[in-house]
Amino acid sequence: METALPIRTSTSSMAAGEPAHSGGFYFRFLPQRLFPSLSAPETTSRLRQWSMLGRLKAQAFGFDQTFQAHRKDDFVLAFFKDPNVIPNLQLLSDSSGQWITLGTEVQKIEATNVPCTQLSMSFFNRLYEEDIVRDSGHIVKCLDSFCDPFMVSDELRKVLLMEDSEKYEVFSQPDRDEFLFCLFKHLCLGGSLCQYEDTLKPYLETAKLLYKDLVSVRKHPQTKKIQITSSVFKVTAYDSAGLCYPSRKNHEQTFSYFVVDPVKRHVNVLYHCFGVGDMS
């Protein structure tokens, strides 16, 4: 199993001389910034099986000021109010199932810090050590049970969902809070017609590709050690009627993560809305 995660490196910053808003941050949409992890044929095939295809999207935006993590709420609120974000930030319509833009005025946001410290996929080796996954890579099956709204038919989903299961503590709460774990769990649980994998490899490979695509690293000048430069937030937004983003309906598998690269001054937005993914 591969362990190292040679993630995207931070180098450049946004061009100087772009106009700033009186509110602080000025954003611009970066349509040319591609996310190969999501367009790779193997990923597309897996997302189709997991009922996430056409419902999972990544977009990138640039910004013009120094990012300070303690001002994350100001940053995120400015993002939703920015005239370059409003016509470009995409989400799925609850009624039509089509991609739309927000079309409402955000009045309040919540941005929760998501720890992002993992540099190795060996983080998941304990799944083998604790007999949740066999040495062959096959996930150990169990009697079907229900953990609303998910069907639990193997030991992996037990570890992910069932707090009273004997192996739940294989991952501590700080482990579960990690961005890499969140990505892995979202992929494992999938959309509303998710067909689960029999082996661990597709989940690990896809989580790794996505993580590398979203998160930036640099080499520490003195120690030469690789360190993550990105800050990650799980974001929700509210208008006068209540929750409006990532959806008006709350669901564990409906989410938006903002991954902020303070060196490049980029923010990558990873969005998913729970539902029936593209079948074709």
Side-chain angles (χ1 to χ4, degrees):
M1 179 169 146
E2 282 187 56
T3 55
L5 280 171
I7 309 167
R8 182 177 299 280
T9 308
S10 298
T11 47
S12 63
S13 63
M14 189 168 175
E18 297 203 356
H21 284 184
S22 56
F25 290 96
Y26 170 92
F27 293 87
R28 60 190 174 120
F29 181 42
L30 302 174
Q32 73 281 10
R33 160 76 165 94
L34 303 176
F35 296 87
S37 61
L38 286 174
S39 55
E42 196 160 24
T43 307
T44 303
S45 166
R46 287 168 179 169
L47 292 175
R48 184 182 294 112
Q49 181 174 330
W50 303 337
S51 198
M52 297 175 89
L53 188 64
R55 304 188 72 87
L56 181 70
K57 184 184 284 280
Q59 294 182 282
F61 297 82
F63 56 92
D64 69 327
Q65 310 265 323
T66 302
F67 173 77
Q68 296 170 308
H70 68 274
R71 289 190 60 216
K72 65 179 170 55
D73 292 359
D74 296 339
F75 176 87
V76 173
L77 190 58
F79 177 86
F80 281 108
K81 291 182 177 291
D82 191 278
N84 289 321
V85 170
I86 292 164
N88 289 302
L89 181 69
Q90 295 207 297
L91 67 156
L92 279 167
S93 161
D94 290 325
S95 51
S96 70
Q98 300 297 308
W99 287 99
I100 56 168
T101 53
L102 201 52
T104 184
E105 189 183 343
V106 169
Q107 297 186 350
K108 187 182 84 158
I109 59 92
E110 287 176 5
T112 308
N113 276 310
V114 179
C116 186
T117 66
Q118 294 302 317
L119 283 164
S120 168
M121 295 304 286
S122 60
F123 179 71
F124 295 105
N125 284 357
R126 64 195 90 176
L127 293 171
Y128 295 91
E129 293 155 6
E130 296 290 337
D131 299 324
I132 293 151
V133 179
R134 301 189 198 285
D135 289 343
S136 64
H138 285 79
I139 299 162
V140 176
K141 301 290 180 195
C142 67
L143 292 172
D144 284 356
S145 58
F146 198 64
C147 186
D148 192 41
F150 302 103
M151 176 62 75
V152 175
S153 54
D154 58 50
E155 294 292 336
L156 177 59
R157 258 148 280 276
K158 260 192 186 175
V159 163
L160 294 178
L161 292 167
M162 300 177 75
E163 292 184 32
D164 57 353
S165 75
E166 58 189 85
K167 291 181 180 173
Y168 188 83
E169 290 177 7
V170 166
F171 291 95
S172 66
Q173 194 53 53
D175 290 334
R176 291 171 183 274
D177 293 339
E178 280 282 338
F179 185 45
L180 181 58
F181 185 93
C182 294
L183 287 179
F184 172 76
K185 181 178 177 180
H186 287 312
L187 295 172
C188 289
L189 298 180
S192 56
L193 294 179
C194 180
Q195 300 171 52
Y196 295 147
E197 299 284 347
D198 293 322
T199 61
L200 186 65
K201 185 181 176 185
Y203 298 128
L204 288 183
E205 283 185 350
T206 311
K208 177 180 175 179
L209 288 170
L210 202 48
Y211 192 71
K212 284 169 62 177
D213 232 359
L214 294 167
V215 174
S216 299
V217 298
R218 68 175 173 193
K219 196 176 274 188
H220 190 279
Q222 276 79 47
T223 65
K224 305 298 181 201
K225 285 185 176 172
I226 297 293
Q227 55 182 191
I228 290 172
T229 54
S230 298
S231 294
V232 183
F233 311 107
K234 193 172 188 179
V235 172
T236 50
Y238 301 81
D239 63 7
S240 57
L243 182 68
C244 65
Y245 179 88
S247 168
R248 292 207 176 269
K249 296 175 188 165
N250 208 0
H251 193 284
E252 185 175 350
Q253 284 292 91
T254 295
F255 56 80
S256 180
Y257 293 98
F258 285 26
V259 184
V260 181
D261 179 339
V263 182
K264 272 189 180 172
R265 293 185 177 173
H266 284 181
V267 53
N268 296 326
V269 178
L270 180 71
Y271 172 96
H272 178 255
C273 184
F274 182 78
V276 179
D278 294 346
M279 303 299 221
S280 57

